[in-house]
């Protein structure tokens, strides 16, 4: 107690200053770290081939100038609305709308959906710049309608009109900066409407000045969710990332850099968020969990307080929080709302508090004391520079949308030995397997659809050797992907994927932003890292592998509008498996005990944290059995009653449940991949 009083007195004395000094300190708090507007890693420049089916906003018929002087609002909005994917063969076939290097001055919201269009048409688009240091969208200073925080307006919105973002399928924002300008107090940098599949990568959002910083850098409304946000910088605004009220949809964040916020770094109102690698430099809380049903997981993060008496994490309604490898410095306290166990904390000589692992609510069931804490590797990323050797599959005879087989032409293109192979956006027919050898580092399909020809299922076979990595990005359709080598296969931005590894293969697999409805089977000798997986009604098989999963999603595992139910579980055998976050909803489907568990584990080591929602429509949805952990001398079943339920049936709308950390050895574990 005496040490606490002395520390408090020092903090209070340090906060006393003259008027001039206070003004200087206030300015430093607005920008506590001058270099936080850039991430602490190399910012890539992006080069796209002109014949890839992209829409260049500076070309005819749009002619955006990008000179920082001309108002480009109408030009960019025309490009977005002409290519919002309303009439495409697949709602996930996002058009690539490209902003070359420059500063694009705007005076109104950029959005792919005309605000006067009241239909339920989709609003799917990939908006990409040439790099966050090369392409900037800048709101004009004192823009009309952006001055009132009571009526927020967005510089960029990806979704459809109104407040329902649930049809914002396949929305991407990549490699650019959004600047909210000066005098725009009611501005939100990006309203990111995303559902089922979509990602934001290498994006910076900054406020134009400190006195009128705007409401939020990035905001998620309502049912927005199932999105992946990676390598993002937010500098300024009241809130860096604001996850507003809505259903239990989950969002996955990785490598997030926040600074100079005036209210909070992140506010999580009621969703499931999994945050890996948050750096926050602020005089306000780094994380605020606002409602009881919010679920917040934070890993490998650094929360730096600057001249503040605030708490690093605020949990006023005692919602579920999980921390692992979190460093906290400069704040008065680590957390308000929960008490972090002293056994989980070490204090370094510098005064930095290190939370090794801790959770706010324990499972009412026997479990081990800690998670598996599997090693986490980043997804390999290959962003070709201007010297890369690109090849267009059309140069070898492939033709989109003609109903003729294209696989032979694609295999010929692979044999030509390019670094990057690309498919101009369209529908391609595959009459045989496409076999990817070591010569190719990346295939970018530009959100093309791959369909069968003559009953041959589209199949991409990766034969990466032990020193090689193959990146497969941006494709749509029920596509088989087979890892058949000893190297690394990376799959990003794919929909109804059917992934498996061939017998005798080994190496590493990264799946990032995959779904909806993927079928995933990870077999012996494999190590896999999965990020933002939208399984919906599909199961997953893991056998003899090590698998780490950040952000899982299912919606029913039953038929919508009926009482017919079924369960396709995550089935784990002879493996290590760690699931960190996700939304596993039954909604209105009633499941039975005899249908089996959500997750079954045999002779394996597992760690699980997730949440979900049950809804009422004539009857309550249910998950009577969550986990079955079995093996020699072990047979444990975790029922729905063991979960933590911050919202009960009394509101007659929904039940939110949380599965706190369940970590266990299920029988005798032996993994050939170790």
């Amino acid at each position: 107690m005496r040490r606490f009083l002395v520390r408090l007195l020092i903090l209070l004395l340090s906060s006393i200053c003259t008027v001039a000094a206070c003004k200087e300190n206030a300015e430093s708090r607005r920008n506590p770290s001058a270099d936080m507007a850039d991430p602490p890693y190399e910012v890539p420049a992006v080069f796209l081939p002109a014949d890839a089916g992209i829409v260049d906003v500076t070309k005819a018929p749009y002619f955006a100038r990008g000179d920082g002087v001309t108002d480009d609002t109408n030009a960019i909005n025309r490009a977005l609305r002409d290519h919002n994917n309303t009439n495409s063969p697949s709602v996930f076939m996002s058009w690539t709308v490209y902003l070359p290097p420059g500063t694009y001055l705007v005076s109104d919201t950029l959005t792919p959906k005309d605000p006067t269009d009241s239909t339920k048409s989709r609003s799917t688009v990939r908006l990409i710049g040439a790099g966050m240091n090369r392409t900037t969208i800048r709101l004009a200073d004192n823009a009309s309608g952006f001055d009132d925080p009571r009526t927020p307006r967005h510089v960029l919105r990806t979704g459809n009109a109104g407040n329902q973002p649930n049809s914002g399928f396949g929305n991407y924002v990549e490699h650019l900066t959004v600047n909210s300008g000066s005098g725009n107090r009611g501005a939100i940098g990006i309203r990111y409407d995303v559902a089922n599949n979509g990602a934001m990568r290498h994006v910076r959002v900054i406020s134009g000045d400190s006195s009128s910083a705007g409401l939020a850098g990035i905001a998620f409304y309502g049912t927005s969710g199932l999105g992946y946000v990676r390598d993002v910088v937010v500098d300024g605004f009241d809130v860096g990332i604001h996850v507003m009220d809505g259903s239990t949809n989950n969002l996955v964040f990785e490598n997030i850099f926040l600074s100079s916020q005036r209210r909070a770094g992140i506010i999580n109102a009621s969703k499931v968020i999994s945050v890996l690698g948050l750096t926050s430099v602020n005089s306000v809380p780094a994380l605020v969990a606002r409602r009881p049903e919010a679920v917040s997981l934070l890993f490998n993060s650094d929360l730096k307080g600057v001249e503040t008496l605030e708490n690093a994490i605020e949990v006023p309604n005692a919602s579920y929080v999980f921390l692992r490898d979190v460093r906290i410095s400069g704040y008065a306290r680590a957390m308000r709302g929960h008490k972090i166990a002293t056994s989980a904390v070490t204090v370094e000589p510098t005064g930095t508090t290190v939370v090794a692992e801790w959770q706010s609510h324990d499972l009412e069931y026997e479990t081990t004391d800690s998670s598996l804490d599997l090693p986490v590797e980043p997804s390999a990323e290959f962003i070709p520079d201007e010297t890369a050797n690109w090849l267009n599959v059309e140069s070898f005879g492939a033709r989109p949308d003609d109903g003729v087989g294209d696989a032979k032409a694609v295999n010929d293109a692979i044999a030509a030995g390019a670094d990057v192979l690309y498919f101009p956006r369209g529908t391609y027919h595959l009459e045989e397997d496409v076999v990817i050898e070591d010569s190719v580092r990346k295939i970018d399909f530009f959100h093309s659809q791959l369909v069968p020809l003559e009953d041959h299922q589209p199949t991409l076979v990766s034969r990466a050797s032990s020193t090689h990595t193959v990146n497969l990005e941006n494709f749509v359709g029920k596509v088989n992907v087979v890892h058949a080598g000893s190297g690394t296969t990376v799959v990003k931005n794919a929909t109804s994927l059917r992934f498996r590894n061939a017998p005798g293969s080994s190496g590493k697999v990264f799946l990032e932003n995959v779904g909806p409805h993927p079928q995933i089977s990870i077999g012996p000798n494999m190590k896999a890292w999965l990020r933002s997986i939208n399984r919906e009604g599909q199961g997953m098989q893991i056998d003899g592998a090590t698998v780490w999963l950040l952000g899982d999603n299912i919606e029913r595992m039953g038929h919508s509008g009926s009482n017919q139910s079924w369960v396709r579980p995550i089935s784990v055998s002879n493996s290590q498996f760690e699931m960190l976050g996700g939304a596993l909803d039954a909604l209105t489907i009633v499941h039975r005990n005899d249908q089996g568990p959500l997750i079954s584990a045999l002779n394996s080591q597992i760690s699980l944290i997730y949440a979900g929602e049950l809804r009422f429509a004539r009857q309550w949805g249910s998950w009577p059995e969550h986990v079955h952990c079995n093996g020699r001398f072990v047979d444990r079943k975790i029922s729905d009653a063991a979960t933590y339920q911050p919202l009960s049936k009394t509101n007659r709308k929904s039940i939110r449940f949380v599965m706190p950390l369940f970590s266990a050895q299920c029988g005798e574990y032996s993994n050939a991949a170790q």
Side-chain angles (χ1 to χ4, degrees), residues 274-302:
S274 301
V275 186
L276 173 66
L278 169 66
T279 300
S280 173
V281 182
N282 268 302
S283 58
V284 296
L287 171 65
V288 175
R290 196 167 64 82
R291 292 174 58 86
E293 63 270 30
V295 175
S296 307
L297 283 67
L298 191 59
F299 310 92
N300 300 12
S301 295
D302 197 356

mmCIF file of all heavy atoms in Angstrom, residues 274-302:
data_model
loop_
_atom_site.group_PDB
_atom_site.id
_atom_site.type_symbol
_atom_site.label_atom_id
_atom_site.label_comp_id
_atom_site.label_asym_id
_atom_site.label_seq_id
_atom_site.Cartn_x
_atom_site.Cartn_y
_atom_site.Cartn_z
ATOM 1 N N SER A 274 -9.811 -11.139 -31.993
ATOM 2 C CA SER A 274 -8.527 -11.779 -31.699
ATOM 3 C C SER A 274 -7.451 -10.879 -32.273
ATOM 4 O O SER A 274 -7.424 -10.644 -33.491
ATOM 5 C CB SER A 274 -8.454 -13.167 -32.332
ATOM 6 O OG SER A 274 -9.494 -13.996 -31.855
ATOM 7 N N VAL A 275 -6.583 -10.360 -31.412
ATOM 8 C CA VAL A 275 -5.598 -9.365 -31.818
ATOM 9 C C VAL A 275 -4.205 -9.933 -31.550
ATOM 10 O O VAL A 275 -3.830 -10.174 -30.404
ATOM 11 C CB VAL A 275 -5.786 -8.042 -31.057
ATOM 12 C CG1 VAL A 275 -4.849 -6.978 -31.613
ATOM 13 C CG2 VAL A 275 -7.241 -7.568 -31.130
ATOM 14 N N LEU A 276 -3.442 -10.125 -32.609
ATOM 15 C CA LEU A 276 -2.083 -10.640 -32.513
ATOM 16 C C LEU A 276 -1.123 -9.536 -32.932
ATOM 17 O O LEU A 276 -1.132 -9.090 -34.073
ATOM 18 C CB LEU A 276 -1.911 -11.857 -33.433
ATOM 19 C CG LEU A 276 -0.496 -12.418 -33.571
ATOM 20 C CD1 LEU A 276 -0.007 -13.003 -32.253
ATOM 21 C CD2 LEU A 276 -0.447 -13.474 -34.670
ATOM 22 N N GLY A 277 -0.299 -9.074 -31.991
ATOM 23 C CA GLY A 277 0.698 -8.075 -32.336
ATOM 24 C C GLY A 277 0.150 -6.669 -32.375
ATOM 25 O O GLY A 277 0.245 -5.991 -33.403
ATOM 26 N N LEU A 278 -0.422 -6.188 -31.265
ATOM 27 C CA LEU A 278 -0.870 -4.800 -31.156
ATOM 28 C C LEU A 278 0.243 -3.971 -30.517
ATOM 29 O O LEU A 278 0.754 -4.312 -29.456
ATOM 30 C CB LEU A 278 -2.132 -4.708 -30.303
ATOM 31 C CG LEU A 278 -2.560 -3.288 -29.880
ATOM 32 C CD1 LEU A 278 -2.967 -2.455 -31.084
ATOM 33 C CD2 LEU A 278 -3.696 -3.354 -28.858
ATOM 34 N N THR A 279 0.602 -2.862 -31.167
ATOM 35 C CA THR A 279 1.468 -1.859 -30.561
ATOM 36 C C THR A 279 0.646 -0.592 -30.405
ATOM 37 O O THR A 279 0.151 -0.045 -31.394
ATOM 38 C CB THR A 279 2.706 -1.569 -31.419
ATOM 39 O OG1 THR A 279 3.462 -2.768 -31.567
ATOM 40 C CG2 THR A 279 3.570 -0.501 -30.778
ATOM 41 N N SER A 280 0.452 -0.144 -29.171
ATOM 42 C CA SER A 280 -0.329 1.058 -28.891
ATOM 43 C C SER A 280 0.533 2.027 -28.105
ATOM 44 O O SER A 280 1.073 1.676 -27.053
ATOM 45 C CB SER A 280 -1.592 0.706 -28.096
ATOM 46 O OG SER A 280 -2.274 1.868 -27.686
ATOM 47 N N VAL A 281 0.695 3.248 -28.628
ATOM 48 C CA VAL A 281 1.425 4.313 -27.943
ATOM 49 C C VAL A 281 0.426 5.428 -27.693
ATOM 50 O O VAL A 281 0.073 6.172 -28.602
ATOM 51 C CB VAL A 281 2.614 4.811 -28.782
ATOM 52 C CG1 VAL A 281 3.382 5.890 -28.036
ATOM 53 C CG2 VAL A 281 3.536 3.655 -29.150
ATOM 54 N N ASN A 282 -0.056 5.550 -26.444
ATOM 55 C CA ASN A 282 -1.205 6.400 -26.180
ATOM 56 C C ASN A 282 -1.220 6.894 -24.745
ATOM 57 O O ASN A 282 -0.643 6.261 -23.848
ATOM 58 C CB ASN A 282 -2.501 5.626 -26.454
ATOM 59 C CG ASN A 282 -3.010 5.814 -27.867
ATOM 60 O OD1 ASN A 282 -3.261 6.941 -28.296
ATOM 61 N ND2 ASN A 282 -3.154 4.720 -28.600
ATOM 62 N N SER A 283 -1.937 7.988 -24.530
ATOM 63 C CA SER A 283 -2.212 8.449 -23.175
ATOM 64 C C SER A 283 -3.608 8.027 -22.731
ATOM 65 O O SER A 283 -4.059 8.415 -21.658
ATOM 66 C CB SER A 283 -2.078 9.969 -23.098
ATOM 67 O OG SER A 283 -2.958 10.600 -24.008
ATOM 68 N N VAL A 284 -4.297 7.254 -23.561
ATOM 69 C CA VAL A 284 -5.632 6.724 -23.255
ATOM 70 C C VAL A 284 -5.536 5.203 -23.243
ATOM 71 O O VAL A 284 -4.527 4.629 -23.675
ATOM 72 C CB VAL A 284 -6.663 7.206 -24.293
ATOM 73 C CG1 VAL A 284 -6.821 8.724 -24.231
ATOM 74 C CG2 VAL A 284 -6.278 6.764 -25.701
ATOM 75 N N PRO A 285 -6.563 4.490 -22.759
ATOM 76 C CA PRO A 285 -6.489 3.029 -22.747
ATOM 77 C C PRO A 285 -6.243 2.448 -24.133
ATOM 78 O O PRO A 285 -6.782 2.929 -25.134
ATOM 79 C CB PRO A 285 -7.861 2.609 -22.201
ATOM 80 C CG PRO A 285 -8.305 3.772 -21.377
ATOM 81 C CD PRO A 285 -7.791 4.983 -22.093
ATOM 82 N N ALA A 286 -5.451 1.411 -24.180
ATOM 83 C CA ALA A 286 -5.194 0.733 -25.447
ATOM 84 C C ALA A 286 -6.392 -0.095 -25.882
ATOM 85 O O ALA A 286 -6.652 -0.236 -27.077
ATOM 86 C CB ALA A 286 -3.962 -0.155 -25.322
ATOM 87 N N LEU A 287 -7.137 -0.650 -24.922
ATOM 88 C CA LEU A 287 -8.281 -1.509 -25.232
ATOM 89 C C LEU A 287 -9.389 -1.240 -24.239
ATOM 90 O O LEU A 287 -9.155 -1.226 -23.028
ATOM 91 C CB LEU A 287 -7.878 -2.993 -25.167
ATOM 92 C CG LEU A 287 -9.007 -4.022 -25.255
ATOM 93 C CD1 LEU A 287 -9.700 -3.965 -26.613
ATOM 94 C CD2 LEU A 287 -8.476 -5.431 -24.989
ATOM 95 N N VAL A 288 -10.616 -1.042 -24.747
ATOM 96 C CA VAL A 288 -11.809 -0.912 -23.922
ATOM 97 C C VAL A 288 -12.824 -1.947 -24.403
ATOM 98 O O VAL A 288 -13.182 -1.966 -25.588
ATOM 99 C CB VAL A 288 -12.430 0.502 -24.010
ATOM 100 C CG1 VAL A 288 -13.740 0.562 -23.227
ATOM 101 C CG2 VAL A 288 -11.451 1.546 -23.498
ATOM 102 N N ALA A 289 -13.265 -2.830 -23.513
ATOM 103 C CA ALA A 289 -14.332 -3.786 -23.802
ATOM 104 C C ALA A 289 -15.609 -3.242 -23.176
ATOM 105 O O ALA A 289 -15.723 -3.188 -21.953
ATOM 106 C CB ALA A 289 -13.987 -5.162 -23.251
ATOM 107 N N ARG A 290 -16.566 -2.833 -24.005
ATOM 108 C CA ARG A 290 -17.644 -1.981 -23.510
ATOM 109 C C ARG A 290 -18.836 -2.743 -22.940
ATOM 110 O O ARG A 290 -19.439 -2.319 -21.964
ATOM 111 C CB ARG A 290 -18.119 -1.040 -24.628
ATOM 112 C CG ARG A 290 -18.959 0.121 -24.131
ATOM 113 C CD ARG A 290 -19.127 1.165 -25.205
ATOM 114 N NE ARG A 290 -19.856 0.693 -26.366
ATOM 115 C CZ ARG A 290 -21.189 0.643 -26.431
ATOM 116 N NH1 ARG A 290 -21.920 1.007 -25.402
ATOM 117 N NH2 ARG A 290 -21.787 0.222 -27.524
ATOM 118 N N ARG A 291 -19.236 -3.870 -23.555
ATOM 119 C CA ARG A 291 -20.433 -4.578 -23.110
ATOM 120 C C ARG A 291 -20.062 -5.941 -22.521
ATOM 121 O O ARG A 291 -19.001 -6.482 -22.823
ATOM 122 C CB ARG A 291 -21.412 -4.752 -24.269
ATOM 123 C CG ARG A 291 -22.022 -3.445 -24.749
ATOM 124 C CD ARG A 291 -22.873 -3.652 -25.999
ATOM 125 N NE ARG A 291 -23.937 -4.616 -25.777
ATOM 126 C CZ ARG A 291 -25.136 -4.321 -25.274
ATOM 127 N NH1 ARG A 291 -25.417 -3.073 -24.930
ATOM 128 N NH2 ARG A 291 -26.055 -5.243 -25.115
ATOM 129 N N PRO A 292 -20.947 -6.518 -21.689
ATOM 130 C CA PRO A 292 -20.602 -7.796 -21.049
ATOM 131 C C PRO A 292 -20.307 -8.916 -22.038
ATOM 132 O O PRO A 292 -19.507 -9.806 -21.756
ATOM 133 C CB PRO A 292 -21.856 -8.114 -20.217
ATOM 134 C CG PRO A 292 -22.532 -6.813 -20.003
ATOM 135 C CD PRO A 292 -22.252 -5.995 -21.206
ATOM 136 N N GLU A 293 -20.961 -8.896 -23.207
ATOM 137 C CA GLU A 293 -20.790 -9.999 -24.150
ATOM 138 C C GLU A 293 -19.572 -9.847 -25.057
ATOM 139 O O GLU A 293 -19.293 -10.713 -25.894
ATOM 140 C CB GLU A 293 -22.043 -10.179 -25.013
ATOM 141 C CG GLU A 293 -22.390 -9.004 -25.895
ATOM 142 C CD GLU A 293 -23.314 -7.991 -25.237
ATOM 143 O OE1 GLU A 293 -23.252 -7.850 -24.003
ATOM 144 O OE2 GLU A 293 -24.090 -7.352 -25.958
ATOM 145 N N ALA A 294 -18.842 -8.759 -24.936
ATOM 146 C CA ALA A 294 -17.614 -8.597 -25.723
ATOM 147 C C ALA A 294 -16.597 -9.660 -25.311
ATOM 148 O O ALA A 294 -16.465 -9.997 -24.130
ATOM 149 C CB ALA A 294 -17.045 -7.205 -25.528
ATOM 150 N N VAL A 295 -15.863 -10.172 -26.282
ATOM 151 C CA VAL A 295 -14.811 -11.155 -26.041
ATOM 152 C C VAL A 295 -13.540 -10.615 -26.691
ATOM 153 O O VAL A 295 -13.521 -10.346 -27.898
ATOM 154 C CB VAL A 295 -15.171 -12.529 -26.631
ATOM 155 C CG1 VAL A 295 -14.015 -13.512 -26.477
ATOM 156 C CG2 VAL A 295 -16.429 -13.067 -25.961
ATOM 157 N N SER A 296 -12.493 -10.453 -25.895
ATOM 158 C CA SER A 296 -11.272 -9.801 -26.385
ATOM 159 C C SER A 296 -10.060 -10.661 -26.065
ATOM 160 O O SER A 296 -9.787 -10.942 -24.895
ATOM 161 C CB SER A 296 -11.112 -8.419 -25.737
ATOM 162 O OG SER A 296 -12.279 -7.628 -25.897
ATOM 163 N N LEU A 297 -9.331 -11.071 -27.102
ATOM 164 C CA LEU A 297 -8.119 -11.861 -26.953
ATOM 165 C C LEU A 297 -6.952 -11.039 -27.484
ATOM 166 O O LEU A 297 -7.017 -10.501 -28.600
ATOM 167 C CB LEU A 297 -8.216 -13.170 -27.734
ATOM 168 C CG LEU A 297 -9.063 -14.304 -27.147
ATOM 169 C CD1 LEU A 297 -10.540 -13.957 -27.124
ATOM 170 C CD2 LEU A 297 -8.867 -15.589 -27.956
ATOM 171 N N LEU A 298 -5.898 -10.953 -26.703
ATOM 172 C CA LEU A 298 -4.758 -10.099 -27.044
ATOM 173 C C LEU A 298 -3.469 -10.892 -26.854
ATOM 174 O O LEU A 298 -3.221 -11.419 -25.771
ATOM 175 C CB LEU A 298 -4.773 -8.857 -26.152
ATOM 176 C CG LEU A 298 -3.839 -7.706 -26.480
ATOM 177 C CD1 LEU A 298 -4.108 -7.165 -27.872
ATOM 178 C CD2 LEU A 298 -3.997 -6.593 -25.447
ATOM 179 N N PHE A 299 -2.650 -10.962 -27.914
ATOM 180 C CA PHE A 299 -1.428 -11.759 -27.903
ATOM 181 C C PHE A 299 -0.240 -10.927 -28.376
ATOM 182 O O PHE A 299 -0.377 -10.054 -29.236
ATOM 183 C CB PHE A 299 -1.552 -12.972 -28.846
ATOM 184 C CG PHE A 299 -2.793 -13.783 -28.655
ATOM 185 C CD1 PHE A 299 -3.937 -13.508 -29.391
ATOM 186 C CD2 PHE A 299 -2.831 -14.813 -27.740
ATOM 187 C CE1 PHE A 299 -5.086 -14.249 -29.223
ATOM 188 C CE2 PHE A 299 -3.978 -15.560 -27.566
ATOM 189 C CZ PHE A 299 -5.110 -15.277 -28.305
ATOM 190 N N ASN A 300 0.925 -11.227 -27.843
ATOM 191 C CA ASN A 300 2.195 -10.683 -28.355
ATOM 192 C C ASN A 300 2.098 -9.182 -28.603
ATOM 193 O O ASN A 300 2.398 -8.698 -29.703
ATOM 194 C CB ASN A 300 2.582 -11.381 -29.671
ATOM 195 C CG ASN A 300 2.762 -12.878 -29.505
ATOM 196 O OD1 ASN A 300 2.392 -13.452 -28.491
ATOM 197 N ND2 ASN A 300 3.318 -13.523 -30.504
ATOM 198 N N SER A 301 1.687 -8.441 -27.586
ATOM 199 C CA SER A 301 1.377 -7.023 -27.774
ATOM 200 C C SER A 301 2.164 -6.144 -26.816
ATOM 201 O O SER A 301 2.638 -6.596 -25.769
ATOM 202 C CB SER A 301 -0.130 -6.792 -27.598
ATOM 203 O OG SER A 301 -0.855 -7.465 -28.612
ATOM 204 N N ASP A 302 2.263 -4.862 -27.179
ATOM 205 C CA ASP A 302 3.031 -3.886 -26.416
ATOM 206 C C ASP A 302 2.172 -2.641 -26.234
ATOM 207 O O ASP A 302 1.892 -1.924 -27.207
ATOM 208 C CB ASP A 302 4.322 -3.548 -27.164
ATOM 209 C CG ASP A 302 5.357 -2.878 -26.278
ATOM 210 O OD1 ASP A 302 5.048 -2.601 -25.110
ATOM 211 O OD2 ASP A 302 6.474 -2.625 -26.769
#
